[in-house]
């Protein structure tokens, strides 16, 4: 199977509301704080973006009846010794055999960085705090004495990321110029992501990921629309793999 260089950039993430990508650590009276970079600006870690896109790609693959392993538990996933890893693992890697695609942290676009960087007052203006209450799953009511505070990033921020690196591709109908089934699945998964972070049931994290018009496949520009035109052929991946034996 051909090994091809892939470049997807810029990858623009447009938030439709506040963002709650929590660190798991508290700060003072705030129980759930938002991720910050070295400059004190909110950002989306590459690992969070990659995990969410992988989940979306799993949904797409299942829609077409393709085999999908049981991530993120290593025991249920394809491994470095699996002779025919599932299509999702071919894109995102497996335990013992990582992907050669590199995901960049999603940083604020320059327009927002210019506004929010600088003094401490501007940096703090990115965030606000909500007081919330823990709900009892059994009773469906508020749990007594279980108030907590969560930090959110401002509504309607825009971030920019990129995905670059190498991908072993499975040609579609003998044609690999569009990045094969692997790139097709990745782009379809990116388009399916509509939430990031936590709190989507409370209106947080809703977003849209905007793909570039062109991506680089094997050092050549290819229209994203031309790749996605093959979307209905995703279900043929298993047959292509069998015919390739």
């Amino acid at each position: 199977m051909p090994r091809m260089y892939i470049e997807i950039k810029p990858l623009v993430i447009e938030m439709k509301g506040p963002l709650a990508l929590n660190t798991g650590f508290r700060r003072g009276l705030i129980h759930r704080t938002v991720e910050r970079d070295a400059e004190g600006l909110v950002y989306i870690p590459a690992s969070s973006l990659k995990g969410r896109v992988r989940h979306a790609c799993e949904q797409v693959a299942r829609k077409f009846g393709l085999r999908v392993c049981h991530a993120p538990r290593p025991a249920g996933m394809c491994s470095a010794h699996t002779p025919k890893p599932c299509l999702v693992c071919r894109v995102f890697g497996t335990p013992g055999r990582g992907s050669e695609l590199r995901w960049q942290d999603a940083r604020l676009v320059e327009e927002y960085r210019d506004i929010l960087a600088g003094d401490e007052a501007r940096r703090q203006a990115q965030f606000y705090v909500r007081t919330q209450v823990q709900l009892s799953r059994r009773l469906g009511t508020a749990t007594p004495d279980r108030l907590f505070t969560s930090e959110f990033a401002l509504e309607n921020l825009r971030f920019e990321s990129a995905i670059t690196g190498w991908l072993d591709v499975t040609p579609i109908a003998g044609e690999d110029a569009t990045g094969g089934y692997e790139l097709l699945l990745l782009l379809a998964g990116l388009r399916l992501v509509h939430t990031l972070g936590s709190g989507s049931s409370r209106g947080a994290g809703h977003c849209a990921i905007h793909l570039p018009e062109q991506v680089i496949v094997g050092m050549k520009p290819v229209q994203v629309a031309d790749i996605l035109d093959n979307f209905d052929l995703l279900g043929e991946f298993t047959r292509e793999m069998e015919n390739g034996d």
Side-chain angles (χ1 to χ4, degrees), residues 4 12 20 52 68 73 88 104 113 116 121 133 140 143 149 172 201 203-204 210 215 237 239:
M4 307 187 78
V12 178
R52 186 66 189 86
V68 178
R73 299 189 304 273
V88 176
Q104 292 184 12
R113 297 184 72 87
L116 297 171
V133 64
T143 304
T149 54
I172 300 175
S201 62
H210 301 288
V215 296
F237 170 72
R239 185 180 302 174

Side-chain angles (χ1 to χ4, degrees), residues 28-89:
L29 297 177
I30 303 174
H31 296 88
R32 299 176 178 177
T33 56
V34 170
E35 293 278 6
R36 292 166 166 80
D37 63 16
E39 298 178 71
L41 300 176
V42 61
Y43 78 106
I44 302 171
S47 57
S48 297
L49 178 60
K50 181 180 178 181
R52 186 66 189 86
V53 176
R54 177 172 183 135
H55 177 71
C57 288
E58 289 172 354
Q59 291 178 298
V60 174
R62 290 191 178 100
K63 168 183 166 59
F64 284 93
L66 301 179
R67 178 178 63 86
V68 178
C69 67
H70 301 288
R73 299 189 304 273
M77 295 178 63
C78 304
S79 73
H81 305 293
T82 303
K84 293 182 179 180
C86 70
L87 181 56
V88 176
C89 284

Side-chain angles (χ1 to χ4, degrees), residues 7 123 146 148 155 164 184 225 229 233 236:
E7 183 176 284
R123 289 195 294 270
R146 288 294 186 272
F148 63 93
E155 290 84 351
T164 59
L184 175 58
D229 279 346
L233 299 177
E236 299 298 315

Side-chain angles (χ1 to χ4, degrees), residues 191-205:
R191 290 186 63 184
L192 186 62
V193 172
H194 297 301
T195 60
L196 286 167
S198 60
S200 59
S201 62
R202 299 181 176 91

Side-chain angles (χ1 to χ4, degrees), residues 138-188:
R138 181 172 62 87
L139 299 176
T141 59
T143 304
D145 303 320
R146 288 294 186 272
L147 288 175
F148 63 93
T149 54
S150 295
E151 190 175 54
F152 294 82
L154 285 175
E155 290 84 351
N156 306 324
L157 295 176
R158 290 170 67 89
F159 299 84
E160 188 172 296
S161 180
I163 304 170
T164 59
W166 296 87
L167 197 59
D168 292 324
V169 304
T170 307
I172 300 175
E175 176 60 59
D176 61 16
T178 58
Y181 291 97
E182 289 76 10
L183 182 57
L184 175 58
L185 178 68
L186 177 57
L187 294 177

Side-chain angles (χ1 to χ4, degrees), residues 60-132:
V60 174
R62 290 191 178 100
K63 168 183 166 59
F64 284 93
L66 301 179
R67 178 178 63 86
V68 178
C69 67
H70 301 288
R73 299 189 304 273
M77 295 178 63
C78 304
S79 73
H81 305 293
T82 303
K84 293 182 179 180
C86 70
L87 181 56
V88 176
C89 284
R90 289 183 58 80
V91 177
F92 293 89
T94 68
R97 183 169 55 194
S99 169
E100 291 188 70
L101 288 180
R102 298 293 173 258
W103 296 63
Q104 292 184 12
D105 293 333
R107 307 284 180 173
L108 286 170
V109 297
E110 186 174 354
E111 174 188 358
Y112 286 98
R113 297 184 72 87
D114 290 343
I115 295 172
L116 297 171
D119 57 46
E120 182 63 20
R122 288 188 180 186
R123 289 195 294 270
Q124 289 304 316
Q126 302 170 87
F127 310 104
Y128 63 92
V129 176
R130 291 180 184 174
T131 299
Q132 299 170 294

